[in-house]
Amino acid sequence: MSDPAAEETWNEKRILVCDDEPHIREPVAIYLRQNGFEVTTAVDGRDGLNKFQKDDFFLVITDINMPQMTGLDLLAEVRKVRPTTDVVMITGNVDLDYAIQAIKNGAYDYFRKPFDFEDVMLTVSRVVEKRRLQRAAAEAERLRGERSASERNAIEAVMALVQAVYSKDSYTRGHMERVGLYADVIAATMGLEAKRRKIIERAGILHDIGKIGTPDVILNKTGKLTQEEFLVIQLHPNVGAQIVRPISVLGEVAPLVRQHHEKWNGTGYPDRLAGEKITVEARILAIADVFDALHSDRAYRPGLPIEKTIQIIKEGRGSHFDPEVVDCFESCLNDGTLLGSIKDARGAGQVSAQDKVKAMAEEAQKMMMGATSQAREAAPAPAPAP
Ligand SMILES: [Fe+2]
């Protein structure tokens, strides 16, 4: 099939009518002119080829049986000279085998003598419509290529940012990995479907990516933050959401990244959302985030014991945290699945958040390539930072 996208010209006005019988050729030409086309006529195949080489026709209508050069030979030359031009054959009853051969050789269609003008117009209209669809498909393909390229660039940028956040703050690295893991376990306990769990796990991995915009002196400060420093910290959910939002495969992750510091009672940031205005995924993320932040060792202090961590989270039930999510958190903590998931992750080969971001990039590329299957197995779970 020809590639119309490669052609600059999409002028669908000029038609070459080639027939050695003037009583067919001329009326067809007149009729097409009356319908708005610019028509050139040729008296045989050779005359037709000469004229075809000198002008830019979108359609050639040619008789099959002609002196000097047959319609089949003319078709072959047209295909060589300008393959995007469509060719329609005119046949007599005895030429049917030739007409079929012409279709095999790339002709668009044929009509048999005797024909009426409506048949001609119908065929020409179908050629014009087919070309319009080809043009639309070519444009869609071009845009898809552009989107694919920009998507890849965006994902590579996110991967670079994840790496940059890691190198900025060694705690953040392990934290982002573990929050994704914990959030997924809590989401499973709450009965969220696999697709939503995948989104929440990704949001866990990326939730603090906006810290790329937070100065190191604030991020690594061991003492109490000033009010101004705290305002700077509060920018990171919005910055993070802005980073991931343009990437189609991460589009659903962006609201979760933005909302992970919102509180059930509406005193969180950046939007002071309350209750169910906060997505359930973000409410889960909030607990996973705080649990890991409290329980993990930091450079300037050891992690809180598990009992103390649980107590703080329970104290936030109904104020900081959604009560139902707290209950589910407790449930999977008590049955061992929450902390067990970390051990499982270690056993699974310590796949890092960076690897998971790579997996997202691969998925985005598959989506762009038109892959329909979204049902990839979740990558092995991440391991905590040493
Ligand atoms: Fe955060």
Side-chain angles (χ1 to χ4, degrees):
M1 185 176 153
S2 62
D3 176 18
E7 289 288 308
E8 295 282 324
T9 305
W10 284 97
N11 180 358
E12 274 140 16
K13 285 284 172 201
R14 303 189 65 77
I15 300 177
L16 177 64
V17 175
C18 189
D19 199 314
D20 59 315
E21 295 177 83
H23 65 278
I24 293 176
R25 182 182 68 231
E26 295 307 325
V28 168
I30 289 166
Y31 180 75
L32 289 172
R33 285 185 192 119
Q34 285 172 344
N35 280 277
F37 294 97
E38 296 168 19
V39 182
T40 299
T41 54
V43 297
D44 58 39
R46 194 167 300 284
D47 183 33
L49 181 58
N50 284 337
K51 287 174 174 165
F52 180 76
Q53 286 169 328
K54 288 176 190 156
D55 216 333
D56 185 17
F57 300 98
F58 83 93
L59 174 62
V60 173
I61 298 174
T62 180
D63 190 15
I64 286 186
N65 266 324
M66 291 184 294
Q68 305 284 342
M69 178 186 267
T70 70
L72 281 174
D73 293 336
L74 178 59
L75 167 66
E77 291 301 317
V78 165
R79 302 287 298 161
K80 268 191 254 170
V81 174
R82 198 178 306 123
T84 55
T85 297
D86 285 293
V87 179
V88 171
M89 316 302 291
I90 303 172
T91 76
N93 277 333
V94 292
D95 302 330
L96 196 55
D97 287 345
Y98 291 114
I100 291 166
Q101 187 59 46
I103 299 288
K104 285 181 184 166
N105 293 355
Y108 174 71
D109 203 352
Y110 66 90
F111 39 79
R112 293 165 75 172
K113 301 172 192 170
F115 53 83
D116 58 35
F117 289 143
E118 280 185 13
D119 293 337
V120 175
M121 201 55 225
L122 199 63
T123 302
V124 172
S125 298
R126 282 198 292 113
V127 171
V128 170
E129 177 61 9
K130 181 211 73 162
R131 293 174 69 86
R132 188 188 69 74
L133 293 173
Q134 281 181 315
R135 193 161 55 243
E139 179 64 7
E141 187 61 30
R142 188 185 66 76
L143 290 173
R144 198 174 76 153
E146 279 181 8
R147 275 203 305 274
S148 180
S150 67
E151 180 92 354
R152 274 196 297 275
N153 291 342
I155 295 248
E156 279 165 16
V158 168
M159 290 176 69
L161 284 164
V162 168
Q163 195 60 50
V165 171
Y166 279 13
S167 61
K168 227 169 142 58
D169 174 4
S170 61
Y171 158 74
T172 302
R173 172 181 183 150
H175 174 65
M176 288 168 80
E177 292 168 351
R178 289 188 300 271
V179 169
L181 194 57
Y182 292 144
D184 180 47
V185 173
I186 299 168
T189 306
M190 292 189 71
L192 266 66
E193 62 188 22
K195 184 170 177 252
R196 291 173 76 190
R197 284 175 55 194
K198 191 170 180 180
I199 293 166
I200 200 172
E201 191 201 14
R202 289 178 171 183
I205 292 165
L206 296 169
H207 74 281
D208 271 343
I209 198 171
K211 284 188 175 170
I212 192 70
T214 309
D216 289 353
V217 286
I218 299 178
L219 211 55
N220 295 324
K221 186 173 177 181
T222 54
K224 196 171 187 302
L225 294 174
T226 66
Q227 193 178 9
E228 192 182 34
E229 287 168 340
F230 188 53
L231 287 173
V232 173
I233 285 274
Q234 287 183 352
L235 296 174
H236 82 270
N238 188 26
V239 171
Q242 284 178 22
I243 288 170
V244 299
R245 187 176 296 121
I247 304 166
S248 63
V249 75
L250 298 178
E252 292 176 277
V253 168
L256 280 63
V257 170
R258 186 178 173 95
Q259 293 178 12
H260 77 273
H261 282 291
E262 299 291 352
K263 293 183 179 176
W264 182 250
N265 64 5
T267 61
Y269 62 89
D271 299 312
R272 299 179 76 83
L273 299 177
E276 293 185 356
K277 290 260 171 63
I278 310 164
T279 64
V280 67
E281 290 89 342
R283 285 178 256 148
I284 292 171
L285 213 50
I287 290 190
D289 186 19
V290 170
F291 172 72
D292 187 72
L294 294 175
H295 186 48
S296 302
D297 292 337
R298 305 294 291 266
Y300 52 90
R301 59 132 176 93
L304 293 177
I306 192 82
E307 296 76 17
K308 181 68 182 165
T309 308
I310 296 165
Q311 183 197 329
I312 292 172
I313 288 179
K314 283 168 81 170
E315 283 169 5
R317 188 179 187 277
S319 53
H320 188 157
F321 306 115
D322 175 353
E324 190 189 349
V325 181
V326 172
D327 295 345
C328 286
F329 160 78
E330 260 199 285
S331 158
C332 56
L333 196 63
N334 291 337
D335 69 15
T337 50
L338 195 77
L339 295 176
S341 63
I342 297 289
K343 289 187 191 124
D344 291 346
R346 284 188 178 132
Q350 302 195 3
V351 173
S352 70
Q354 185 77 352
D355 292 317
K356 293 205 170 190
V357 174
K358 264 188 198 165
M360 292 177 212
E362 285 166 11
E363 185 178 325
Q365 283 172 0
K366 274 187 190 167
M367 281 171 64
M368 288 297 113
M369 296 301 289
T372 52
S373 173
Q374 298 277 323
R376 255 178 8 101
E377 285 287 316

